[in-house]
Amino acid sequence: MEPVTFSFGARLGLVFIIESALLSVISTSVMLGYVIYNAFKNMYHPPPIGHRRFHFVRSALDYFFLSLLFWDFILALGAVLNIRWVHQAGITTGSFCTAQGVLKQIGAVGVAFSSAAIAIYTFLVIFARWQIPNTRWLPLTITGLITLFLILLPIIGSRINTDPPYYGPSTYWCWISPNYGSERVGLEYGLIWFISALSIALYVPLFFVLRGNLQVDYQQRVGSSGRKMKISWKSIRSGGGDSHQGDDKKESTTIAKQMLAYPIAYNGLSRPEAQRTPWHPNGPLSQVSSIPPQAW
């Protein structure tokens, strides 16, 4: 695979991407570091008897959120590595390029899987009203399986696809080589598309449940351990009613709107990356010219 070079405009655009990635790296590092600091503080310097310990991780959602932070840190770190391409005005293949490709792939997929875990868990608790055991082993098992999959993802991909190299120049950074369009779709694009659709499918009914429009009732089946679900629609009118009920309704509506904002934000941030079809002849890679071999 031949090296590629960038124009001044491309390098300037990468600088903005690097700055945004650095902000993400710093913010996620601060939050993760704060959690780790308090964990060690509780372990080696516990508070006096009668004082409450600090526990950031209280439920399964907290574990999934930490997983989301970690993989977002990995994804942002992969973008920060663009500093080298800006410095040398182009991309060269090698171990550095491979490292960036790995970080960007597992980071993006890790963020997607963590987002899916949050969406599914929230839906099961609020909509399906599942009595999920309050134990740390369930979220640790799920996050562990996600981590194991992401570790095996680049290992298997690079071992199976060796000629040309599995990771190489792609657009303005290193990622899965353009020769492996099916792998791009199946191992990242398709996952992001699927989880984006899943988030919308799960969060939209949750919005109406918290708002009070959608009434979900469960009745025990006669002679069976299963439950029968009954869904009904209720129109919400503004004004009137008890003031306390009105405040509770406003708070629920606010929470519902915030919950609905999450999949909108995730789709808005992930869609531009996922819409870059890898086999398009007029894609961004076609705008990057090859450097003559004698220039290297």
Side-chain angles (χ1 to χ4, degrees):
M1 184 176 296
E2 295 182 354
V4 294
T5 185
F6 298 143
S7 64
F8 174 79
R11 296 169 70 185
L12 183 61
L14 283 176
V15 169
F16 288 110
I17 294 176
I18 294 169
E19 291 175 347
S20 300
L22 280 173
L23 290 176
S24 184
V25 167
I26 294 172
S27 59
T28 53
S29 298
V30 169
M31 296 190 69
L32 291 172
Y34 181 71
V35 174
I36 295 174
Y37 166 77
N38 282 280
F40 278 99
K41 184 178 179 181
N42 287 336
M43 184 182 303
Y44 295 104
H45 301 283
I49 299 176
H51 291 73
R52 189 176 181 180
R53 291 190 175 190
F54 172 84
H55 292 287
F56 182 86
V57 181
R58 300 175 183 270
S59 66
L61 278 179
D62 296 328
Y63 285 97
F64 298 145
F65 178 70
L66 287 177
S67 175
L68 180 66
L69 283 180
F70 175 75
W71 294 116
D72 186 70
F73 168 80
I74 295 297
L75 179 61
L77 186 62
V80 171
L81 297 185
N82 285 324
I83 292 176
R84 179 169 182 173
W85 313 140
V86 172
H87 174 70
Q88 64 185 31
I91 304 176
T92 54
T93 57
S95 58
F96 191 90
C97 179
T98 300
Q100 184 184 38
V102 171
L103 291 177
K104 291 188 70 67
Q105 184 186 18
I106 66 174
V109 178
V111 168
F113 279 0
S114 299
S115 301
I118 294 173
I120 294 172
Y121 183 87
T122 306
F123 182 84
L124 291 178
V125 171
I126 297 178
F127 189 91
R129 298 180 187 175
W130 279 25
Q131 300 297 326
I132 299 178
N134 187 19
T135 173
R136 63 181 180 179
W137 298 113
L138 176 63
L140 285 176
T141 300
I142 294 175
T143 54
L145 291 174
I146 292 174
T147 303
L148 178 62
F149 174 79
L150 294 175
I151 292 174
L152 295 176
L153 189 64
I155 295 176
I156 296 177
S158 57
R159 289 295 179 89
I160 295 177
N161 306 293
T162 57
D163 188 24
Y166 187 60
Y167 295 103
S170 173
T171 315
Y172 302 113
W173 47 76
C174 287
W175 186 50
I176 300 176
S177 300
N179 306 80
Y180 303 105
S182 299
E183 285 78 0
R184 285 182 168 188
V185 174
L187 300 178
E188 184 163 336
Y189 286 130
L191 294 174
I192 293 177
W193 291 333
F194 173 76
I195 291 175
S196 297
L198 178 66
S199 298
I200 295 175
L202 295 181
Y203 280 117
V204 168
L206 286 178
F207 169 80
F208 290 108
V209 168
L210 292 176
R211 192 170 181 269
N213 296 105
L214 202 61
Q215 303 289 330
V216 183
D217 298 315
Y218 291 89
Q219 299 176 352
Q220 193 71 29
R221 294 182 182 271
V222 180
S224 174
S225 59
R227 296 184 303 170
K228 180 180 180 181
M229 182 177 63
K230 181 181 179 182
I231 301 177
S232 58
W233 180 266
K234 179 183 178 181
S235 59
I236 304 296
R237 295 183 179 180
S238 59
D242 185 75
S243 59
H244 294 290
Q245 292 181 355
D247 293 338
D248 293 340
K249 188 179 298 182
K250 289 180 179 178
E251 183 177 358
S252 298
T253 302
T254 301
I255 296 174
K257 290 180 179 179
Q258 293 173 350
M259 183 172 291
L260 191 63
Y262 176 78
I264 294 175
Y266 176 76
N267 280 272
L269 293 173
S270 62
R271 191 59 59 88
E273 175 72 14
Q275 280 186 337
R276 290 188 302 108
T277 48
W279 50 79
H280 198 286
N282 296 322
L285 189 61
S286 63
Q287 300 174 7
V288 184
S289 59
S290 299
I291 297 180
Q294 60 270 20
W296 295 88

